[in-house]
Amino acid sequence: MNFAVITPTHQRRELLPEAVASVRASISAPLDFSFEHLIYDSGSRDGTAAYLREAAAQPGPPLRHWHAPGRLLAGEGRNRLIAETAPDAWIVPLDDDDILLQRTLHNYAAQIQVHPGRPWFVADFLRVDETGRYLPNEDYYAWQFESPTAMLHAIFRAEHFIQGNVCYNRAFVDEVGGYDGELKMAEDLDLYVRFLLAGQLPVLCPHISHLHRFHTRNVSIGVDAETHNADLRVIYQKYAKELKALGITEPGK
Protein backbone atom coordinates (compact mmCIF):
# COMPACT_ATOMS: atom_id res chain seq x y z
CA MET A 1 0.00 0.00 0.00
CA ASN A 2 1.30 3.45 -0.83
CA PHE A 3 -0.02 6.93 -0.11
CA ALA A 4 0.50 10.21 -1.90
CA VAL A 5 -0.25 13.39 0.03
CA ILE A 6 -0.96 16.11 -2.55
CA THR A 7 -0.62 19.84 -1.89
CA PRO A 8 -1.12 22.67 -4.38
CA THR A 9 0.48 25.86 -3.07
CA HIS A 10 0.64 29.57 -3.83
CA GLN A 11 2.38 32.25 -1.77
CA ARG A 12 2.45 30.23 1.46
CA ARG A 13 6.17 30.17 2.24
CA GLU A 14 5.46 31.12 5.85
CA LEU A 15 3.05 28.25 6.55
CA LEU A 16 4.08 25.56 4.05
CA PRO A 17 7.01 24.21 6.14
CA GLU A 18 4.60 23.14 8.89
CA ALA A 19 2.52 21.21 6.37
CA VAL A 20 5.65 19.54 4.98
CA ALA A 21 6.96 18.68 8.44
CA SER A 22 3.62 17.20 9.45
CA VAL A 23 3.64 14.79 6.50
CA ARG A 24 7.22 13.77 7.14
CA ALA A 25 6.34 13.01 10.77
CA SER A 26 3.81 10.38 9.70
CA ILE A 27 4.14 7.05 11.50
CA SER A 28 3.36 3.81 9.67
CA ALA A 29 4.23 1.22 12.35
CA PRO A 30 3.08 -1.40 12.91
CA LEU A 31 1.55 -1.39 9.42
CA ASP A 32 3.69 -1.64 6.31
CA PHE A 33 3.06 1.12 3.77
CA SER A 34 5.01 3.81 1.95
CA PHE A 35 4.15 7.46 1.46
CA GLU A 36 5.37 10.55 -0.33
CA HIS A 37 4.44 14.23 -0.45
CA LEU A 38 3.76 15.86 -3.81
CA ILE A 39 3.59 19.68 -4.02
CA TYR A 40 2.65 21.85 -6.99
CA ASP A 41 3.78 25.45 -6.64
CA SER A 42 1.86 27.75 -8.95
CA GLY A 43 3.26 31.22 -9.42
CA SER A 44 4.69 31.79 -5.94
CA ARG A 45 7.12 34.69 -5.63
CA ASP A 46 7.87 34.40 -1.92
CA GLY A 47 10.78 31.96 -1.91
CA THR A 48 8.63 28.81 -2.04
CA ALA A 49 10.65 27.26 -4.88
CA ALA A 50 13.96 27.64 -3.03
CA TYR A 51 12.43 26.27 0.15
CA LEU A 52 11.05 23.19 -1.63
CA ARG A 53 14.42 22.44 -3.25
CA GLU A 54 16.05 22.59 0.16
CA ALA A 55 13.34 20.51 1.84
CA ALA A 56 13.38 17.83 -0.87
CA ALA A 57 17.14 17.40 -0.40
CA GLN A 58 16.73 16.56 3.28
CA PRO A 59 16.65 12.91 4.39
CA GLY A 60 13.26 11.41 5.02
CA PRO A 61 10.16 10.36 3.09
CA PRO A 62 10.17 11.52 -0.54
CA LEU A 63 9.11 15.09 -1.28
CA ARG A 64 8.56 15.80 -4.97
CA HIS A 65 7.65 19.23 -6.30
CA TRP A 66 6.76 21.01 -9.54
CA HIS A 67 6.47 24.68 -10.41
CA ALA A 68 4.39 26.75 -12.82
CA PRO A 69 5.15 30.41 -13.62
CA GLY A 70 1.51 31.47 -13.29
CA ARG A 71 -1.32 30.89 -10.85
CA LEU A 72 -3.30 27.67 -11.19
CA LEU A 73 -6.57 26.98 -9.46
CA ALA A 74 -6.40 24.34 -6.74
CA GLY A 75 -8.30 21.72 -8.72
CA GLU A 76 -5.91 21.89 -11.67
CA GLY A 77 -2.93 21.76 -9.32
CA ARG A 78 -4.29 18.62 -7.67
CA ASN A 79 -4.99 17.01 -11.04
CA ARG A 80 -1.38 17.55 -12.11
CA LEU A 81 -0.15 16.01 -8.87
CA ILE A 82 -2.46 13.01 -9.13
CA ALA A 83 -1.12 12.38 -12.64
CA GLU A 84 2.33 11.91 -11.04
CA THR A 85 1.19 9.24 -8.57
CA ALA A 86 1.35 5.48 -8.94
CA PRO A 87 -1.72 3.82 -10.51
CA ASP A 88 -2.49 2.05 -7.23
CA ALA A 89 -1.83 5.05 -4.95
CA TRP A 90 -4.12 6.21 -2.20
CA ILE A 91 -4.49 9.99 -2.42
CA VAL A 92 -4.72 12.25 0.64
CA PRO A 93 -5.21 15.96 -0.15
CA LEU A 94 -3.64 18.45 2.27
CA ASP A 95 -3.89 22.22 1.92
CA ASP A 96 -0.65 24.17 2.15
CA ASP A 97 -1.68 25.86 5.40
CA ASP A 98 -2.98 22.75 7.20
CA ILE A 99 -1.28 20.13 9.37
CA LEU A 100 -1.57 16.36 8.93
CA LEU A 101 -1.71 14.37 12.15
CA GLN A 102 1.02 11.83 12.77
CA ARG A 103 -1.22 8.77 12.62
CA THR A 104 -3.54 9.89 9.82
CA LEU A 105 -2.03 7.71 7.09
CA HIS A 106 -1.79 4.78 9.49
CA ASN A 107 -5.45 5.15 10.42
CA TYR A 108 -6.51 5.35 6.77
CA ALA A 109 -4.39 2.28 5.98
CA ALA A 110 -6.06 0.35 8.79
CA GLN A 111 -9.51 1.26 7.49
CA ILE A 112 -8.55 0.34 3.92
CA GLN A 113 -7.57 -3.12 5.15
CA VAL A 114 -10.85 -3.51 7.04
CA HIS A 115 -12.92 -2.34 4.04
CA PRO A 116 -11.37 -3.93 0.93
CA GLY A 117 -12.83 -2.70 -2.32
CA ARG A 118 -14.12 0.59 -0.93
CA PRO A 119 -12.61 3.49 -2.91
CA TRP A 120 -12.89 6.45 -0.54
CA PHE A 121 -12.83 7.33 3.12
CA VAL A 122 -13.77 10.37 5.20
CA ALA A 123 -12.57 11.41 8.67
CA ASP A 124 -13.08 14.26 11.13
CA PHE A 125 -10.83 17.30 11.50
CA LEU A 126 -10.12 20.04 14.01
CA ARG A 127 -9.82 23.78 13.50
CA VAL A 128 -6.96 25.90 14.82
CA ASP A 129 -6.13 29.59 14.58
CA GLU A 130 -3.21 31.09 12.65
CA THR A 131 -0.81 30.25 15.49
CA GLY A 132 -1.96 26.62 15.65
CA ARG A 133 -4.01 27.09 18.81
CA TYR A 134 -7.04 24.81 19.07
CA LEU A 135 -10.40 26.52 18.49
CA PRO A 136 -13.03 25.07 20.87
CA ASN A 137 -16.49 24.34 19.50
CA GLU A 138 -15.21 24.38 15.90
CA ASP A 139 -14.57 20.64 15.39
CA TYR A 140 -15.79 19.05 12.17
CA TYR A 141 -17.57 15.70 12.40
CA ALA A 142 -18.40 13.63 9.34
CA TRP A 143 -21.90 12.14 9.29
CA GLN A 144 -22.94 8.57 8.69
CA PHE A 145 -25.43 8.17 5.83
CA GLU A 146 -27.46 5.16 4.72
CA SER A 147 -26.89 5.72 1.02
CA PRO A 148 -25.12 7.98 -1.49
CA THR A 149 -28.50 9.56 -2.31
CA ALA A 150 -29.10 10.43 1.35
CA MET A 151 -25.69 12.08 1.51
CA LEU A 152 -26.37 14.06 -1.67
CA HIS A 153 -29.65 15.29 -0.21
CA ALA A 154 -27.79 16.57 2.86
CA ILE A 155 -25.09 18.25 0.77
CA PHE A 156 -27.54 20.13 -1.44
CA ARG A 157 -29.64 21.14 1.56
CA ALA A 158 -26.41 22.72 2.86
CA GLU A 159 -26.59 20.49 5.93
CA HIS A 160 -23.26 18.73 5.36
CA PHE A 161 -20.04 19.34 3.48
CA ILE A 162 -16.64 17.70 2.99
CA GLN A 163 -13.26 19.36 2.56
CA GLY A 164 -9.78 17.85 2.71
CA ASN A 165 -10.68 15.21 5.28
CA VAL A 166 -10.64 12.38 2.75
CA CYS A 167 -8.59 9.56 1.28
CA TYR A 168 -9.41 8.03 -2.11
CA ASN A 169 -7.74 5.72 -4.56
CA ARG A 170 -6.21 6.89 -7.81
CA ALA A 171 -8.31 4.55 -9.95
CA PHE A 172 -11.55 5.99 -8.57
CA VAL A 173 -10.63 9.61 -9.18
CA ASP A 174 -9.53 8.67 -12.71
CA GLU A 175 -12.88 6.95 -13.23
CA VAL A 176 -14.93 10.07 -12.38
CA GLY A 177 -12.65 12.46 -14.21
CA GLY A 178 -10.61 14.24 -11.53
CA TYR A 179 -11.13 17.71 -10.15
CA ASP A 180 -12.80 20.45 -12.17
CA GLY A 181 -9.79 22.65 -12.82
CA GLU A 182 -11.95 25.65 -13.72
CA LEU A 183 -13.94 25.93 -10.49
CA LYS A 184 -12.69 28.76 -8.28
CA MET A 185 -14.38 27.41 -5.14
CA ALA A 186 -15.73 24.08 -3.87
CA GLU A 187 -13.81 22.03 -6.45
CA ASP A 188 -13.29 19.38 -3.78
CA LEU A 189 -17.01 19.10 -2.99
CA ASP A 190 -17.70 18.91 -6.73
CA LEU A 191 -15.44 15.86 -6.96
CA TYR A 192 -17.10 14.19 -3.97
CA VAL A 193 -20.55 14.77 -5.50
CA ARG A 194 -19.32 12.76 -8.50
CA PHE A 195 -18.04 10.05 -6.17
CA LEU A 196 -21.56 9.80 -4.73
CA LEU A 197 -23.21 9.90 -8.15
CA ALA A 198 -20.99 6.93 -9.04
CA GLY A 199 -22.79 5.07 -6.26
CA GLN A 200 -19.99 5.01 -3.71
CA LEU A 201 -20.65 6.07 -0.13
CA PRO A 202 -17.47 6.93 1.80
CA VAL A 203 -16.33 4.81 4.71
CA LEU A 204 -16.65 6.88 7.89
CA CYS A 205 -13.33 6.68 9.75
CA PRO A 206 -13.17 7.16 13.55
CA HIS A 207 -10.10 9.40 13.58
CA ILE A 208 -8.97 13.01 13.17
CA SER A 209 -7.28 13.61 9.82
CA HIS A 210 -5.76 17.07 10.12
CA LEU A 211 -5.73 20.51 11.70
CA HIS A 212 -7.47 23.06 9.51
CA ARG A 213 -5.96 26.48 10.07
CA PHE A 214 -8.13 29.61 10.21
CA HIS A 215 -6.21 32.77 9.29
CA THR A 216 -6.68 36.05 7.43
CA ARG A 217 -5.54 34.59 4.08
CA ASN A 218 -7.73 31.48 3.93
CA VAL A 219 -8.99 30.85 0.41
CA SER A 220 -12.45 30.35 1.91
CA ILE A 221 -12.38 33.55 3.98
CA GLY A 222 -15.74 35.30 3.86
CA VAL A 223 -17.64 32.24 2.63
CA ASP A 224 -20.98 32.59 4.40
CA ALA A 225 -24.21 30.62 3.97
CA GLU A 226 -25.25 32.66 0.93
CA THR A 227 -21.91 32.16 -0.80
CA HIS A 228 -21.92 28.44 -0.01
CA ASN A 229 -25.42 28.10 -1.47
CA ALA A 230 -24.25 29.89 -4.60
CA ASP A 231 -21.40 27.39 -4.94
CA LEU A 232 -23.86 24.53 -4.43
CA ARG A 233 -26.08 25.89 -7.20
CA VAL A 234 -23.12 25.94 -9.60
CA ILE A 235 -22.35 22.30 -8.78
CA TYR A 236 -26.02 21.33 -8.96
CA GLN A 237 -26.38 22.72 -12.49
CA LYS A 238 -23.45 20.57 -13.66
CA TYR A 239 -25.28 17.38 -12.62
CA ALA A 240 -28.89 18.56 -12.65
CA LYS A 241 -30.18 15.67 -14.77
CA GLU A 242 -28.72 12.98 -12.50
CA LEU A 243 -29.63 14.82 -9.30
CA LYS A 244 -33.23 15.46 -10.36
CA ALA A 245 -33.59 11.77 -11.19
CA LEU A 246 -32.68 11.05 -7.57
CA GLY A 247 -35.26 13.52 -6.29
CA ILE A 248 -32.68 16.09 -5.18
CA THR A 249 -33.83 19.68 -5.66
CA GLU A 250 -31.70 22.69 -6.48
CA PRO A 251 -30.53 24.66 -3.42
CA GLY A 252 -32.85 27.53 -2.60
CA LYS A 253 -35.79 26.09 -4.53
Side-chain angles (χ1 to χ4, degrees), residues 73-96:
L73 293 176
E76 178 59 25
R78 292 193 189 101
N79 284 339
R80 295 189 183 193
L81 292 172
I82 291 170
E84 298 291 341
T85 65
D88 62 347
W90 287 93
I91 312 295
V92 176
L94 180 72
D95 286 348
D96 56 5

Side-chain angles (χ1 to χ4, degrees), residues 55-83:
Q58 300 301 313
L63 168 62
R64 296 194 285 150
H65 55 96
W66 294 262
H67 304 265
R71 180 76 182 270
L72 295 177
L73 293 176
E76 178 59 25
R78 292 193 189 101
N79 284 339
R80 295 189 183 193
L81 292 172
I82 291 170

Side-chain angles (χ1 to χ4, degrees), residues 18 37 48 60 131 152 188 201 239 253:
E18 288 188 67
H37 195 179
T48 292
T131 68
L152 286 166
D188 45 5
L201 194 66
Y239 315 109
K253 292 187 178 181

Side-chain angles (χ1 to χ4, degrees), residues 92-140:
V92 176
L94 180 72
D95 286 348
D96 56 5
D97 51 356
D98 290 344
I99 298 171
L100 194 73
L101 295 193
Q102 221 171 335
R103 295 279 281 183
T104 294
L105 300 184
H106 173 279
N107 289 330
Y108 278 136
Q111 290 298 310
I112 290 167
Q113 289 182 337
V114 172
H115 301 279
R118 299 291 292 275
W120 72 304
F121 299 76
V122 59
D124 301 334
F125 65 83
L126 306 180
R127 292 182 173 95
V128 298
D129 68 12
E130 59 186 10
T131 68
R133 183 175 59 184
Y134 173 66
L135 295 174
N137 303 317
E138 294 289 344
D139 297 359
Y140 171 96

Side-chain angles (χ1 to χ4, degrees), residues 193-242:
V193 164
R194 276 181 280 130
F195 283 176
L196 294 166
L197 287 172
Q200 291 289 350
L201 194 66
V203 174
L204 185 62
C205 300
H207 71 266
I208 306 297
S209 65
H210 68 287
L211 304 181
H212 176 60
R213 194 193 304 262
F214 271 12
H215 57 90
T216 57
R217 293 173 57 207
N218 277 115
V219 173
S220 58
I221 197 79
V223 175
D224 54 15
E226 182 177 350
T227 304
H228 181 61
N229 280 328
D231 292 336
L232 285 177
R233 286 192 290 271
V234 170
I235 296 173
Y236 185 92
Q237 288 303 319
K238 291 181 62 180
Y239 315 109
K241 182 178 179 180
E242 299 98 314

